[in-house]
């Protein structure tokens, strides 16, 4: 990581698409080149609306949101990344 983003750096709360639009713009990256992993369904939804791949880490039954993957724990992340890289 080169920089950890918070509302203080991009002048918006992590509550939707605008947060990710501003983060990607500040980092000078295309949303299509990014992967967001979060435990907040709202954050994952905002990331997807911004055009990025987003995985939700959620131990319970997955909520009704659009996520590229739902992982029950971060322990599943390495195999997800391998699968993602092979597509």
């Amino acid at each position: 990581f080169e920089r950890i983003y918070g509302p203080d750096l991009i002048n918006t709360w992590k509550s939707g698409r605008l947060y990710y639009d501003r983060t990607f713009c500040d980092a000078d990256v295309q949303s299509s080149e990014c992967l967001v992993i979060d435990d907040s369904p709202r954050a994952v939804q905002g990331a997807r609306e911004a055009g990025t791949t987003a995985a939700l880490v959620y131990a319970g039954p997955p909520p009704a949101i659009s996520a590229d993957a739902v992982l029950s724990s971060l322990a599943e992340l390495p195999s997800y990344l391998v699968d993602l890289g092979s597509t």
Side-chain angles (χ1 to χ4, degrees):
F1 296 97
E2 292 182 20
R3 188 170 189 181
I4 298 175
Y5 284 89
D8 57 323
L9 297 177
I10 54 173
N11 199 30
T12 192
W13 292 105
K14 187 178 174 183
S15 60
R17 177 185 178 152
L18 183 60
Y19 175 85
Y20 292 100
D21 287 340
R22 288 184 178 179
T23 298
F24 301 147
C25 181
D26 185 79
D28 195 27
V29 296
Q30 298 296 315
S31 61
S32 61
E33 299 172 342
C34 299
L35 168 64
V36 170
I37 301 164
D38 206 296
D39 64 347
S40 164
R42 187 174 185 180
V44 167
Q45 184 174 342
R48 295 262 306 144
E49 290 171 3
T52 192
T53 301
L56 176 67
V57 179
Y58 204 80
I65 65 156
S66 177
D68 293 291
V70 178
L71 312 174
S72 61
S73 74
L74 282 176
E76 295 178 12
L77 183 59
S79 60
Y80 172 67
L81 293 175
V82 167
D83 291 344
L84 190 63
S86 65
T87 58

